[in-house]
Amino acid sequence: MTSDIHGHWHGVLDTGAVKVKLGFRLDGDTAWLDTRAAGVLELPLARDGQRVAFGSVPFDVVLDLQRVGERLEGTCFHNAVDFPVSFAPGLAPPAVHAARPQTPAPPFPYETETVTFTGADGSRLSGTLTRPSGPGPYPAIVLSSWFGQTDRDQMVAGHRPFALWADELTRRGFTTLRYDKRGVGASEGRFDTATTADFAADLACAVAILRNRTDIGAVGLLGHSEGGHISADLAAADPTIAFCVMMTPTGVPDELILEAEMFNAARVVGGVPRDFDRTVRFVRALSEASKAPTAGETVALAREILAAEAYPPERLDSRAAIAASPWRRYWATYDHTAGLRGLTCPALVVFAGMDLQTPPRAHAAKIMAANPSANVVTLPGLNHFLQPAITGAPSEYGEIETTLDPSVIKAVCDWIVEVGRP
């Protein structure tokens, strides 16, 4: 039986971690799959009546689709998981990105200025300082963003949560400083060679420039995810830090909770893992490889692990390099609660009830044990980004118009006002 399925089709692969637009064209026994990494791939197309199948193992995407009415429905196998997908005929319409409603807009009832300072590696870092009008001095807060190449606003899918934190805190009488990470935005330096320790050292440089200003009083820290950890690390090393806020931190290493947490984001979007135990062993083995004494040894171990799993040769070197990256190797042996254990200043730790990246069920107990005097709260219904959650999956961040749920703004800012105002 022949198939009449042909032409252009478009849809979205939701992995729970991200949403990826997929588009392809079908003609005869060939599929042309549009990929972000490798451009358009020409692939053999299998047909069976109203069913079509095609894919690329080296690029970790295999589609098995059936015509259902006007659409193609089925699965996309990716990252060891079968995800449900649906495609509509034709080319995808252009994306429209509207401003998020909570993003602060001028005129502001406070002063803003661009500041530059020298980071720990000698590079010039750039940021934005906001301060209440008037002579001061005002207490200050330095903001630290989460993992990745983030700018001063921690911008994701049009959301600018750090601009919102700065706006709210400045209206409440605090100076704030937020800055682009090294190698990001207007900041110089190299991001790809930096570790969590390097970001903590840059944070110390940001604090130092505030202490050189006569209009600045006591300095506190607020960080999200990895930013919370470097805030705690610096506050533990610097007893003059006035307070520390950690939002959605990690209490235990990822490899210790893989069996319970690894596929949570995939599952909430309908993904069905294949070879669960094998995948967990594979991921844990790569994590252990990152702990090798040298980067070269990590690469060698990672290559052996990948080859044993029949990893596509075209992607083997790049995947081994990820395991051996400076950040990955540092984080593999990082003590997640060392900073918290060493804190002497007031500390607030905020967890999000529907967080699938650092779920409180896995991390809160370890955090509370590390510092029993810290104020640890779990806000229900929020995801890791601190939005009102739909599923909790990271892939939903861009679908939610709210940047920060009002409950987290109130909880954090009320606490900071209570402990941070002279």
Side-chain angles (χ1 to χ4, degrees):
M1 181 177 180
T2 60
S3 169
D4 62 351
I5 302 169
H6 62 277
H8 290 278
W9 298 82
H10 70 274
V12 174
L13 168 63
D14 184 353
T15 70
V18 294
K19 289 186 178 180
V20 181
K21 292 182 179 180
L22 289 181
F24 53 85
R25 181 169 66 89
L26 306 180
D27 187 7
D29 59 359
T30 304
W32 287 267
L33 176 64
D34 192 2
T35 71
R36 198 179 337 179
V40 178
L41 300 177
E42 184 176 344
L43 305 169
L45 173 64
R47 295 180 181 269
D48 182 7
Q50 297 301 297
R51 179 182 176 186
V52 294
F54 59 94
S56 170
V57 172
F59 288 94
D60 193 24
V61 56
V62 178
L63 291 151
D64 189 343
L65 308 171
Q66 181 88 18
R67 174 162 333 240
V68 180
E70 295 299 314
R71 302 183 70 88
L72 291 178
E73 311 275 354
T75 62
C76 178
F77 181 66
H78 176 69
N79 279 347
V81 179
D82 284 305
F83 293 99
V85 286
S86 178
F87 295 89
L91 297 171
V96 177
H97 300 288
R100 302 297 184 175
Q102 285 181 299
T103 300
F108 300 119
Y110 50 80
E111 300 174 14
T112 66
E113 62 178 285
T114 298
V115 297
T116 60
F117 60 96
T118 302
D121 64 343
S123 60
R124 183 180 63 85
L125 304 182
S126 179
T128 298
L129 186 136
T130 64
R131 63 181 301 279
S133 300
Y138 295 99
I141 305 170
V142 185
L143 310 180
S144 298
S145 65
W146 64 2
F147 164 77
Q149 293 178 268
T150 52
D151 67 7
R152 68 194 70 189
D153 292 337
Q154 193 177 289
M155 187 170 72
V156 174
H159 291 291
R160 300 175 179 268
F162 274 32
L164 184 53
W165 283 120
D167 180 76
E168 181 68 22
L169 289 165
T170 310
R171 291 173 186 270
R172 289 180 178 237
F174 292 84
T175 291
T176 74
L177 173 60
R178 62 193 196 273
Y179 56 94
D180 301 332
K181 285 185 180 179
R182 58 173 73 177
V184 180
S187 288
E188 299 173 348
R190 291 185 60 182
F191 175 85
D192 62 317
T193 59
T195 68
T196 301
D198 295 321
F199 297 133
D202 287 343
L203 176 59
C205 295
V207 169
I209 68 156
L210 292 182
R211 288 185 171 145
N212 289 330
R213 295 177 60 123
T214 60
D215 58 349
I216 300 296
V219 178
L221 305 174
L222 179 151
H224 188 186
S225 198
E226 184 186 26
H229 287 284
I230 68 171
S231 296
D233 292 345
L234 177 58
D238 182 352
T240 65
I241 295 294
F243 59 85
C244 179
V245 178
M246 303 176 72
M247 300 187 296
T248 64
T250 301
V252 297
D254 291 341
E255 64 264 24
L256 298 184
I257 55 174
L258 286 177
E259 285 87 351
E261 308 295 341
M262 181 176 175
F263 287 108
N264 280 341
R267 287 191 172 107
V268 298
V269 298
V272 180
R274 291 190 199 174
D275 297 325
F276 178 86
D277 292 338
R278 179 181 177 182
T279 303
V280 168
R281 288 194 299 270
F282 170 65
V283 172
R284 181 171 284 124
L286 283 179
S287 179
E288 287 299 316
S290 295
K291 300 176 184 178
T294 68
E297 290 174 89
T298 291
V299 168
L301 287 170
R303 286 181 59 87
E304 290 179 11
I305 294 163
L306 293 163
E309 291 294 319
Y311 205 78
E314 301 93 330
R315 300 171 58 207
L316 194 148
D317 286 340
S318 61
R319 183 62 185 86
I322 292 173
S325 70
W327 185 90
R328 185 73 57 186
R329 283 174 44 76
Y330 184 88
W331 188 256
T333 58
Y334 178 70
D335 187 339
H336 299 263
T337 60
L340 194 62
R341 295 196 305 271
L343 287 183
T344 57
C345 66
L348 172 67
V349 181
V350 178
F351 284 103
M354 291 182 67
D355 185 351
L356 298 182
Q357 291 169 268
T358 56
R361 64 179 171 270
H363 299 282
K366 187 76 171 183
I367 292 290
M368 289 187 286
N371 190 330
S373 65
N375 184 6
V376 181
V377 299
T378 299
L379 300 179
L382 307 189
N383 59 27
H384 188 73
F385 201 63
L386 302 172
Q387 301 167 298
I390 300 169
T391 65
S395 60
E396 74 184 14
Y397 297 161
E399 306 298 318
I400 302 171
E401 286 299 298
T402 302
T403 298
L404 292 173
D405 190 82
S407 67
V408 73
I409 297 174
K410 176 174 172 54
V412 171
C413 293
D414 285 356
W415 183 87
I416 288 176
V417 168
E418 180 180 350
V419 304
R421 293 288 295 271

